[in-house]
Amino acid sequence: MTQKYLPLKDHDTPIKVLFTGYLCAVGIGYFFALLQILFTHGMADGKFGLSIDDIVYSYYGNRSGTVLETQLNGAMKQNASEEQRFKIIQWVRDGAELNTYKSAGIEAIIQERCVMCHNAQAPTGMPDFNKFENLKALSTQDTGVTFSSLTRVSHVHLFGISFIFMFVGLIFSFSETTSTKYKCIAVGMPYIFLVTDILSWWLTKIHPMFAWLVVFAGMGMGISFIFMWVISLLEMWGYQQIFIEAGGIYGQKLKAVYTAIITPQRRTWILSVFALMRGKLYQQAQKITCLLKGWLLPIIQRYK
């Protein structure tokens, strides 16, 4: 049977360079996207590093306090001193009144620490703190990201990331070391995880237990991307050494590197982390099932 496509290893060198340039560019872009998440959502609880609390505070909100308090104790913590943050938070808890805005020194702090970013030239969605009413609006209960912001971010991500996975998947589809069955899975899974990721934002906005779904969907997209990215580059530039001669000297080298990195202790630790995550996901799935039953049963009984 004749081959229906030209394998990656047999493409002309200019095409390989083109594919490699694109993969490297989107790979670096994906890395910076993860950093951006780490430095924005990852600081929502005031601690560096992405956690479930960060996701809950970002989408559902920290409803025990106001928006300003959450931001000053979270993502904006490094932008003002402890004394300045205490003054603003105290002013907010006292009612965030205009007559004490200047006398309490809040305006001076805002002008010194905040308006460099929060001004009329700020990107869409970032309030202008030169206007008191915009600051006053943030002294209400923190309910997380707004539905209008979710709508804007959702459609941007769906359009943009879909194009990224389309071209990565197109390049990967020329691979020959992966069977058709697994190629279909690898190409299709990122879109399932992408839609799940966007949907999980909206669900977390409604109920904080869905924060685990955000983590699961994000991990799924990352694993799918890395798998297609690595296989595509290896087939273009290391097919003979890795896929043909892997049982010889190259295989021994890879095995030695793997053995040096993945020690028995580290393997045990990795397996324990996966076991813990599986248990957490199972618990969350049970909670979600109970929640859905609580929503659906009254509707079903009503229309019986």
Side-chain angles (χ1 to χ4, degrees), residues 266-280:
R266 289 175 181 172
R267 190 182 301 113
T268 303
W269 179 82
I270 292 171
L271 291 175
S272 65
V273 170
F274 275 108
L276 177 63
M277 291 182 62
R278 184 177 60 184
K280 291 284 188 181

Side-chain angles (χ1 to χ4, degrees), residues 97 145 165 175 212 219-220 229 234 269:
E97 298 296 336
V145 64
F165 281 122
S175 65
W212 274 101
M219 289 178 59
W229 191 87
L234 290 181
W269 179 82

Side-chain angles (χ1 to χ4, degrees), residues 283-299:
Q283 292 175 4
Q284 292 300 318
Q286 286 185 316
K287 290 181 180 179
I288 291 171
T289 302
C290 293
L291 180 65
L292 291 176
K293 284 182 179 178
W295 287 348
L296 294 176
L297 282 178
I299 297 175

Side-chain angles (χ1 to χ4, degrees), residues 98 101 127-139:
L98 177 61
Y101 181 54
D128 179 9
F129 283 173
N130 286 309
K131 298 179 180 178
F132 176 78
E133 57 269 22
N134 292 335
L135 189 66
K136 175 72 174 180
L138 299 180
S139 64

